[in-house]
Amino acid sequence: MRTTLKWLQRAENFIMGGAFIIMVAALFIQVVNRNVTKLALPWPEEVAVYSMIYLVLLGTEAGLRDGTQIQITAIVDRFRGRVKLGIQIVARLVVVAFSGAMAYASFGVIAAQAQSGQTSPVLRLPMYVPFGAFLLAFTIIFLVQGYALIVLVKAFIANDPDASVGVVPDSPDEVEEITAALGLNETADSEGAEEKR
Amino acid sequence: MSLTVFLMFGVFALLLIIGVPISISLASSVLAAIIFDPSITLSFGVIAQRMYGGLESTSIMAIPFFILAGNMMTKGGISRRLVDFANSLIGGVRGGMGYALILACAFFAALSGSAPATVIAIGVMLYNDMVRLGYPKERVAGLLVVSGGLGPVIPPSIIMIVYATITNASVGDMFKSGMLIGGLIVVVLLGVAAVFAKKEKWPKEEKGSFSMKKLGTSFVRAIPAILLPVIILGGIYSGLVTPTESAVLAVVWAMLVSLFIYRDMKPKDLWPIIIDSAKSSAMILFIIASSTAFSWLFAYSGASAALVSAINAMNLNAVMFAFIVAIVLLIFGTFLEGIATAVLMVPILWPVAQALGMDVIHFGMIVSISNVIGTMTPPVAVNFFAAASVTKLKMGQIAKGQLPFFIGYVAVFLVVVFVPQLSTLLISR
């Protein structure tokens, strides 16, 4: 399962990163075109919007998986052991149920769009292409969060909260990330190295 | 109608308490209302369709672009140049680094639009040096928390874009108003810092005395960074680009500066920055999508219209209503994340404010600043968490150091609430 999750993360990152680059490129072309080349280019905006929809939906899946979605944990964190695990199971169950319902509903909407032959205004893309992001993302959320739920239930039965650790990797520490980017870790390290010498 | 509203708000609150992410809590409460309220005969598909509608917008696309530009600048060596410039501007006077911290936060705010990012980027650069020089650490941490609050007020501002998307206000006008009010907050914070510099005998850095040469050098080094807000605001106000397009230009400029001028970032660093920015953007935009479904059902159930009539029947004037809104938003902001508060409350409160004749920019500034104050008030206080992680101080210590600056910030907020003209001073109608 871990290998599957790793591959899933890579595929998602590829789509999210690709969508982001397409958004930047499309709107940059639009600005240059309107102010410099002045060609008739109606497509950049539509391409950028549809790319953003994929970015948001898959980014939400990634955020739910690595625990970086905003949530209030102050109350849950007051509990320990089985009580805490029980609350986490209920919370996870809500996410699974919601994503299942949304995957089912999105399938219905897509089927209706395919049947009616509805297309986008500029590119004439079938509307199930942008809307497909909902079906794709909510199906993945349903499966991944369902797996996380099973692990939590097993931890609850075994009364072992540690067994659930690692289902969702911890989010990276933002401070460490920024200090590293600013080169301050290197400074601290080199100072430490000099002291040792 | 009442059952719908009860289900929506009751389920939302319950899910928040048990730790369900805010975006899923919002959308699940809509789902619960559709399932359990017999008066609503809608399919689940309507939720997905409304969420799609919330995302199918060019104006909210400015949010991921500003997040990406901000992350590139943060990791591309911008904070160091801004701190050096701010330091050379006010070095040498008693408490000079305190003033430099406020100015550096203001400069950084003009690039990032995010409060916790401002706290971390500037805090990491200045906090340890200031403590080493003898500044009281609780006070520095407190100043950092409040100065970080300039992030969402000085443009570009993510919360202002969200607000403008919901109410159809002009992003350009919101930014103009933000510049004025942000400037006012800077002046007030500098004033409070001056009082405490004298009272608590903050150190005077001998080495940091003012010199034109130092100022000139640091200014030249900071020019590429300072040009970013010029590109953003100049582009919008000249009419050459829309706010979303200006955000794209900001991304391209930030990438060029970080890679080729400052050279603190390498091409291989770009991909992780893009992925991180994509995740942060998805988090905010999915909350917006969920709240679109939430506020749509609120209006569909008739609750929105009933609320407008009820408040109209109270015969409140616009200023009194503005004050009540401020209190409500501050209470919500204490428990909820800022964007979530705005996307949840603005669609409900704005029709009432409009009916009472409130100016859309004035209302927007109340929303934006109350949002920032929420980042400084526990339990959900991202600025506090950011400052605590930089300074390693306890929340109580930071709260104590923060108080005088926080009071100054709230005083400006009250002036904004009670003097509508302040928000619209720079706007030509």
Side-chain angles (χ1 to χ4, degrees):
Chain A
M1 188 65 190
R2 293 223 164 263
T3 320
T4 315
L5 284 176
K6 210 177 254 179
W7 276 103
L8 181 68
Q9 188 175 355
R10 278 187 196 160
E12 269 175 358
N13 284 356
F14 179 75
I15 299 174
M16 278 192 304
F20 217 151
I21 292 168
I22 292 170
M23 283 162 65
V24 173
L27 281 202
F28 188 67
I29 289 170
Q30 179 165 287
V31 175
V32 173
N33 180 55
R34 202 183 47 250
N35 293 294
V36 187
T37 50
K38 296 182 179 164
L39 301 167
L41 287 181
W43 54 265
E45 203 165 294
E46 203 172 278
V47 167
V49 168
Y50 293 160
S51 301
M52 181 173 72
I53 289 170
Y54 273 87
L55 180 149
V56 173
L57 270 298
L58 289 176
T60 300
E61 197 292 308
L64 283 170
R65 186 160 30 80
D66 66 15
T68 50
Q69 282 276 327
I70 304 171
Q71 61 201 102
I72 297 172
T73 56
I75 299 160
V76 182
D77 287 344
R78 286 179 183 271
F79 298 97
R80 290 276 170 271
R82 266 194 167 151
V83 179
K84 187 175 180 179
L85 276 173
I87 298 171
Q88 286 174 331
I89 287 171
V90 176
R92 192 77 63 166
L93 193 62
V94 170
V95 178
V96 173
F98 173 75
S99 52
M102 283 301 101
Y104 173 75
S106 307
F107 183 76
V109 175
I110 285 174
Q113 285 171 335
Q115 208 167 22
S116 68
Q118 196 184 351
T119 57
S120 68
V122 179
L123 293 169
R124 300 281 163 210
L125 270 178
M127 279 312 286
Y128 57 75
V129 174
F131 211 91
F134 278 77
L135 179 61
L136 178 67
F138 282 120
T139 306
I140 301 173
I141 294 172
F142 179 74
L143 295 174
V144 173
Q145 295 298 312
Y147 167 71
L149 178 65
I150 292 167
V151 176
L152 275 173
V153 171
K154 279 182 182 169
F156 181 81
I157 293 166
N159 196 11
D160 179 13
D162 292 339
S164 65
V165 174
V167 177
V168 220
D170 289 334
S171 58
D173 185 85
E174 205 178 352
V175 179
E176 272 180 21
E177 220 174 62
I178 294 178
T179 45
L182 294 170
L184 297 179
N185 283 354
E186 283 171 27
T187 319
D189 290 347
S190 58
E191 277 171 6
E194 272 171 29
E195 271 175 25
K196 275 181 195 168
R197 266 180 237 141
Chain B
M1 181 203 79
S2 53
L3 179 61
T4 316
V5 174
F6 174 76
L7 280 168
M8 285 171 73
F9 283 93
V11 171
F12 175 58
L14 182 70
L15 296 186
L16 273 189
I17 290 170
I18 63 168
V20 176
I22 289 173
S23 53
I24 303 285
S25 301
L26 274 168
S28 299
S29 63
V30 177
L31 185 66
I34 291 177
I35 293 172
F36 297 112
D37 186 346
S39 70
I40 297 180
T41 49
L42 296 167
S43 70
F44 298 169
V46 78
I47 303 175
Q49 282 168 330
R50 292 293 150 185
M51 288 171 85
Y52 180 87
L55 291 174
E56 200 186 22
S57 145
T58 321
S59 55
I60 59 163
M61 212 185 292
I63 295 170
F65 292 147
F66 279 131
I67 289 175
L68 180 58
N71 282 347
M72 279 184 185
M73 291 302 252
T74 307
K75 294 172 187 181
I78 180 82
S79 338
R80 197 186 301 274
R81 273 80 175 182
L82 290 178
V83 166
D84 287 349
F85 176 53
N87 235 336
S88 64
L89 210 58
I90 323 187
V93 297
R94 181 170 297 284
M97 283 184 83
Y99 306 135
L101 185 149
I102 297 167
L103 288 185
C105 283
F107 293 145
F108 194 83
L111 305 171
S112 119
S114 154
T118 309
V119 171
I120 292 171
I122 303 303
V124 162
M125 295 298 301
L126 281 176
Y127 177 75
N128 286 335
D129 279 351
M130 288 176 76
V131 171
R132 189 172 43 80
L133 287 169
Y135 283 80
K137 51 186 177 184
E138 287 91 353
R139 195 66 75 203
V140 178
L143 180 58
L144 195 57
V145 168
V146 181
S147 303
L150 288 165
V153 180
I154 296 179
S157 159
I158 291 168
I159 186 72
M160 287 184 195
I161 299 167
V162 171
Y163 172 81
T165 308
I166 298 170
T167 59
N168 285 325
S170 153
V171 174
D173 285 349
M174 285 296 295
F175 282 6
K176 270 187 196 167
S177 188
M179 266 193 288
L180 180 73
I181 292 166
L184 186 62
I185 296 170
V186 169
V187 172
V188 169
L189 291 181
L190 286 173
V192 177
V195 171
F196 279 85
K198 200 173 166 190
K199 193 177 161 192
E200 295 176 342
K201 296 191 172 42
W202 289 4
K204 184 178 172 183
E205 200 190 355
E206 297 302 333
K207 274 196 307 181
S209 57
F210 182 83
S211 97
M212 274 312 284
K213 193 185 164 197
K214 210 167 111 183
L215 177 64
T217 315
S218 64
F219 176 68
V220 170
R221 283 186 187 145
I223 282 177
I226 295 169
L227 267 180
L228 189 66
V230 175
I231 292 172
I232 295 168
L233 301 177
I236 296 172
Y237 298 132
S238 64
L240 286 174
V241 293
T242 63
T244 304
E245 290 169 346
S246 80
V248 167
L249 294 185
V251 170
V252 175
W253 179 247
M255 190 172 70
L256 293 176
V257 169
S258 307
L259 284 177
F260 303 113
I261 300 178
Y262 289 157
R263 293 181 187 177
D264 283 15
M265 198 170 79
K266 295 180 182 68
K268 70 176 169 65
D269 300 328
L270 276 175
W271 185 252
I273 292 175
I274 290 173
I275 297 300
D276 278 356
S277 307
K279 280 196 213 167
S280 307
S281 308
M283 188 172 67
I284 294 173
L285 294 176
F286 195 69
I287 291 176
I288 293 175
S290 302
S291 75
T292 308
F294 189 93
S295 52
W296 175 81
L297 189 63
F298 189 77
Y300 176 86
S301 69
S304 193
L307 183 71
V308 173
S309 318
I311 292 178
N312 277 343
M314 289 174 174
N315 283 327
L316 288 174
N317 62 25
V319 174
M320 202 53 215
F321 179 70
F323 182 64
I324 292 171
V325 166
I327 303 285
V328 169
L329 290 176
L330 287 178
I331 294 170
F332 267 77
T334 306
F335 297 99
L336 264 183
E337 194 274 335
I339 305 283
T341 310
V343 291
L344 182 66
M345 299 308 290
V346 171
I348 296 169
L349 295 173
W350 170 236
V352 185
Q354 204 173 15
L356 290 172
M358 268 188 85
D359 187 276
V360 69
I361 303 297
H362 178 216
F363 192 73
M365 292 318 295
I366 293 173
V367 171
S368 304
I369 304 176
S370 61
N371 227 283
V372 181
I373 294 175
T375 64
M376 305 172 196
T377 46
V380 183
V382 281
N383 277 19
F384 249 81
F385 303 148
S389 56
V390 172
T391 62
K392 312 292 177 213
L393 292 179
K394 289 186 178 141
M395 302 286 269
Q397 291 174 291
I398 301 175
K400 203 173 140 200
Q402 176 199 237
L403 197 61
F405 306 110
F406 181 72
I407 291 170
Y409 205 104
V410 172
V412 176
F413 178 54
L414 290 176
V415 173
V416 170
V417 171
F418 288 110
V419 187
Q421 294 82 356
L422 183 68
S423 305
T424 54
L425 201 65
L426 295 180
I427 297 155
S428 50
R429 291 255 161 85

